[in-house]
Amino acid sequence: MVDIHLTNTRTRKKERFDPIDPGNIRVYACGPTVYDRAHLGNARPVVVFDVLFRLLRHVYGAGAVTYVRNFTDVDDKINARAAETGRAIRDITEETIGWYHDDMDALGALRPTQEPRATDYIPQMIAMIEGLIAKGFAYAAEGHVLFEVRKFDEYGKLSGRSLDDMIAGARVEVAPFKRDPMDFVLWKPSEGEQPGWASPWGRGRPGWHIECSAMSAELLGDVFDIHAGGIDLQFPHHENEIAQSRCAHGSKVMANYWLHNEMLQVEGKKMSKSLGNFFTVRDLLDQGIPGEVIRFVLLMTHYRKPMDWTAEKLREAEATLRKWHDMVACVEPAQFPAETVVRALSDDLNTAAALAAMHELARRGAASELAASAQLVGLLDVESADWIYSDVNASIDDEIEDLIENLLEERAAARSARNFERADAIRNGFEAAGVSLTDEADGTSWCPTPNFSPTKLREI
């Protein structure tokens, strides 16, 4: 079995992945707050951890991996969007989840095993909060419940910060009901039209951090294998998750491995609306940039390095994919991906090295290995590559099919008559027209490539 090594944020070391149960590998990734379209930065962790999901399935078996990514569908940003638009909260979250699925599907990301919604796990959150209060780690005050950070000695270990440094440098909500500025909200009161649920502390709603702790525990257990997310979530979100989960369950860890992807820039600058370089995945798709090209660009940089999105990378990605699609269009993928590609991915998800190994496969003309390797990273799915094949499929009508069949019959007749010059001319003509032929015992099959040209076909 292939050894996978991952850089563990918790220990700050690259470590061999040693699952709790090789037959039941459990992964959790923080998902979106569903009030608006996902921007390009949101897409990076989706693609990165989709590759992790694919690699784990390849090594341990598809049925051995449970991948959970949540939807935060109760949040003040959602409430504000509802107040701003006059729409029902449920309508907004349902629509946004649909957008998210459409956009991430377009990037070739597999759907996680489970996609829990926070609002479906309110009872579990309340039960966890009650347990934290009972154990002395949380307290109720003025309709709120807060986690008492100084009761957890290892707070700050994930992000490598001391509590005093955090207080000095962080934006913390100062409130009279807090015992300490760093204490964070587990439950807060709801008023008027705000969504709320009955609780021992009055009608209210959960804080942001408690939802991931409750859902991961319910679906993956008190301790699971991998927790993943963007580096922007390391503090305070993941730090708070660890604190409340470990105190609730009395465990030494929440997850054995923590993976964080770095941030994304655009042409060397931070993506922001004020700079005019902020765009959503849907913006790019609507501009005609194929999802597969977006995915390729996101894979060009190692996930632990800041990534720069540039127009040049887009051009390079599209040119490479067109070349590779042409190579694998009519090829049966190998049974297994190339060892060089698997080895690169197993070395801390080094997608940049994996793409370099795939370039070498293409250089050597190893089309079947390239096809299998591309599937492992979510590329070259011929079935869904509409951006490559839409024009090809549209141009193959009954007339073209009849022409191809007639030419194949003419070639077969020429070969039978030992007129190899004409037979070879027809085959060469097919190749120039972007039609691949496969001679078999029971006849010749044909397959169009992305370079298919009806004009050149008619010239044969």
Side-chain angles (χ1 to χ4, degrees), residues 167-354:
I167 293 173
R171 295 178 181 176
V172 294
E173 181 187 356
V174 178
F177 49 79
K178 283 188 175 185
R179 294 178 183 174
D180 187 286
M182 287 303 295
D183 292 351
F184 60 88
V185 172
L186 301 174
W187 189 264
K188 53 189 172 183
S190 295
E191 300 176 358
E193 297 298 316
Q194 292 178 326
W197 290 262
S199 81
W201 318 286
R203 181 177 175 273
R205 60 197 190 280
W208 174 32
H209 315 295
I210 193 67
E211 65 178 70
C212 288
S213 288
M215 288 187 285
S216 63
E218 179 73 13
L219 298 172
L220 301 176
D222 296 352
V223 177
F224 50 94
D225 293 294
I226 299 172
H227 195 311
I231 193 67
D232 55 316
L233 298 179
Q234 185 184 46
F235 178 83
H237 185 52
H238 290 164
E239 201 75 75
N240 292 353
E241 279 188 61
I242 289 172
Q244 61 203 12
S245 292
R246 286 187 56 190
C247 291
H249 307 308
S251 57
K252 293 183 178 180
V253 295
M254 178 185 181
N256 285 335
Y257 302 85
W258 285 79
L259 272 61
H260 291 94
N261 66 277
E262 262 291 353
M263 303 296 285
L264 179 142
Q265 297 178 324
V266 177
E267 302 288 353
K269 298 179 180 179
K270 181 179 179 181
M271 188 169 69
S272 71
K273 292 180 179 178
S274 62
L275 293 176
N277 66 352
F278 178 95
F279 38 81
T280 67
V281 173
R282 179 50 50 183
D283 291 335
L284 296 174
L285 295 171
D286 287 347
Q287 289 170 22
I289 300 172
E292 187 178 20
V293 173
I294 298 171
R295 183 184 183 92
F296 192 104
V297 175
L298 292 173
L299 295 177
M300 291 170 75
T301 304
H302 191 283
Y303 79 96
R304 294 185 61 247
K305 294 181 179 180
M307 188 211 145
D308 193 15
W309 176 273
T310 68
E312 178 57 34
K313 286 179 180 176
L314 270 178
R315 287 191 289 270
E316 179 185 340
E318 180 170 346
T320 298
L321 285 169
R322 286 188 180 280
K323 189 184 305 179
W324 288 1
H325 267 292
D326 191 47
M327 282 189 66
V328 308
C330 303
V331 171
E332 189 70 27
Q335 188 173 3
F336 300 107
E339 182 182 341
T340 52
V341 175
V342 176
R343 193 161 57 237
L345 294 178
S346 299
D347 182 14
D348 198 22
L349 297 183
N350 195 337
T351 55

